[in-house]
Structure formats: C-alpha cells, structure tokens
Amino acid sequence: MAIFILVFTLLVAFLAIALLLGIAPISSKAKYRTMYVGATLMILIAFMTCDYIDIQTDMTAKIRFHAVLALAIAVGYFCIAVAYMEKYNTVKRKNQKLEEALTAKEQEKVSILLEHQNEKQQALLQGELEWLAGKIKMFTEEEQKAILASALSFAQHDLILPPSIKIQPNETCSQQELMYYVCSAFFNMGKKRNDIVSFLIQVFPLYFPAGESALTKKMPGMDKVRERREKENRLV
C-alpha cells in the first residue's frame, strides 16, 4: 500500500510539473526535450508496474497498480503531446518569420517597381503633353495655356476642368485635326475613348456644337490614330 501511495503521488506530482512546464515561459527546445525525458520515464515506470502487477497475489493490490499503470501511460502520452505541440509551434513560428521576411522583400520589390512605373508614367505624360503643346501653336497664347492646364488635370488626375476661356475655332486647325491631336496624346496615356470624348466636348465646345453623340461617331479609332502618329515619327 505504501509503495502504491508513493508511486501514485510521484506520478501526480510529475503530471503537475508537466502541466506547469507546458505553460512556462521557457525555450521551446528545453520544453520539448524535458517532455521527451518525462515520456521515457513514464515508459520505464509502466514496464516496472507491469512486472510488479505480475508478482501481486492480492486482487486489490493488482487493481491499485493497474490504476498506477493507467496514470503512467496517460502522463507519458501527455508529455509526448506537449513535446509535439511545442515542435509544431516552433516550426510554425519559423515559417511565419520566413513568410514575413519574404513578404517584406516582395513588398520592397513592388514598391521599387511601382516607383519606376510612376517615373515612367510621369515621363510619358510629360512627353505627350509636350507633343500636344507643339501641335496647338495655332491658338493664341492664352488659349494654349488654358488647353494645356485642362490637359494636365485630365492626364494626371482624370479630372476634366473646362478652361476659363472659350477656345475659339481656328481655321488652321480643323475639327479632324484637333480630334487627332487630342486622341493621339491621350490614347498613348491609356485614357479611355469615352473620357476623351468628354474632354473634347468640355474643353472645345465651340468645335463640337452637335454634341457628344455626334462626336463619338466622328472620333477616329485608336488604330488609325497610332498609325498616323507612327508615320509622322518616321518622317521626322
């Protein structure tokens, strides 16, 4: 009876220690190594208990030591479970740190790429606006400034601001020529056809008195505009 009480008390004490170690703020490596040692001890205790049960003649003593055996096995399984959980958490933390590091690197790459793209986009916008500025020299200086201010707002912010003055039709710049100039510049910036139509109507209302639907029908296609632009570039 005294041996039973001693062994049972030791097992309960070890179970309590294992529970405390499971939540203790120690390193994962030390924790799962301790749990493996505990599981090994429980296996030894289980074998010793089996041998002790075999030599018992009293049925009550056998039942008691069967309880000890069951408790030793339960504590052993608990130690193994804690050890594997700690290993799993360790691997999970390592993978999470690796993912975070990779994510940070990818974000850095994306930021650099976006920065280069923004620089290229700004250079493209500037080049196209300069090209457009060269094509509208037939208008007065005041009209040129008003047109370019509206074009800059549309190019950078997709915002169409009608000019402060009415752009008067110029006999040296036909309706078709004006459409080509504006479409060529904004198509190259990636602007949509409907938005370009709105820009032309609001910035050059005197050029297109028939309204938006009539202008939409007259608008040249992207392919024709780019084909003409390429021909002009080759001639230059």
Side-chain angles (χ1 to χ4, degrees), residues 28-236:
S28 296
K29 193 173 184 180
K31 195 178 290 187
Y32 65 71
R33 282 185 175 179
T34 304
M35 290 299 162
Y36 281 143
V37 171
T40 304
L41 287 175
M42 292 304 107
I43 293 172
L44 293 175
I45 291 172
F47 280 126
M48 291 170 62
T49 304
C50 287
D51 291 338
Y52 198 78
I53 290 171
D54 290 338
I55 63 174
Q56 295 296 315
T57 56
D58 184 41
M59 182 59 67
T60 304
K62 283 190 176 185
I63 291 172
R64 289 193 191 115
F65 282 98
H66 271 104
V68 170
L69 178 62
L71 182 58
I73 292 171
V75 174
Y77 273 116
F78 175 76
C79 290
I80 291 172
V82 172
Y84 273 101
M85 190 176 295
E86 281 302 317
K87 271 205 162 185
Y88 171 78
N89 288 335
T90 301
V91 173
K92 187 178 179 181
R93 282 192 292 270
K94 286 181 179 178
N95 287 341
Q96 188 173 358
K97 286 181 181 179
L98 182 60
E99 286 177 4
E100 288 174 356
L102 289 173
T103 303
K105 281 191 175 181
E106 288 301 320
Q107 287 177 348
E108 185 180 353
K109 288 180 181 177
V110 169
S111 298
I112 293 171
L113 182 60
L114 287 175
E115 186 178 346
H116 287 318
Q117 286 180 343
N118 288 335
E119 289 175 358
K120 288 181 180 178
Q121 183 68 13
Q122 287 299 322
L124 174 64
L125 296 184
Q126 184 177 351
E128 291 302 317
L129 289 174
E130 288 176 356
W131 180 86
L132 180 61
K135 295 295 184 180
I136 59 172
K137 293 291 186 181
M138 70 288 295
F139 293 100
T140 67
E141 186 175 345
E142 189 179 8
E143 287 175 333
Q144 290 179 47
K145 287 180 180 179
I147 293 168
L148 290 175
S150 297
L152 180 63
S153 174
F154 181 50
Q156 291 186 333
H157 308 293
D158 290 325
L159 184 63
I160 303 173
L161 296 177
S164 55
I165 60 173
K166 292 290 184 181
I167 309 300
Q168 299 298 321
N170 191 299
E171 60 183 17
T172 58
C173 181
S174 67
Q175 191 183 75
Q176 289 294 327
E177 288 295 308
L178 181 62
M179 284 192 294
Y180 163 67
Y181 298 148
V182 172
C183 289
S184 181
F186 289 131
F187 276 149
N188 285 342
M189 295 180 196
K191 302 298 181 183
K192 295 180 181 178
R193 181 184 175 88
N194 291 339
D195 294 334
I196 298 173
V197 169
S198 297
F199 177 85
L200 285 166
I201 286 291
Q202 294 184 50
V203 177
F204 304 96
L206 299 180
Y207 261 93
F208 307 101
E212 191 169 328
S213 58
L215 173 57
T216 302
K217 294 177 182 178
K218 291 181 180 180
M219 274 271 288
M222 187 185 297
D223 293 338
K224 289 184 177 180
V225 170
R226 287 183 175 170
E227 184 180 349
R228 179 175 170 180
R229 182 77 172 268
E230 287 174 2
K231 286 180 180 179
E232 287 184 6
N233 291 336
R234 282 197 295 269
L235 291 173
V236 173

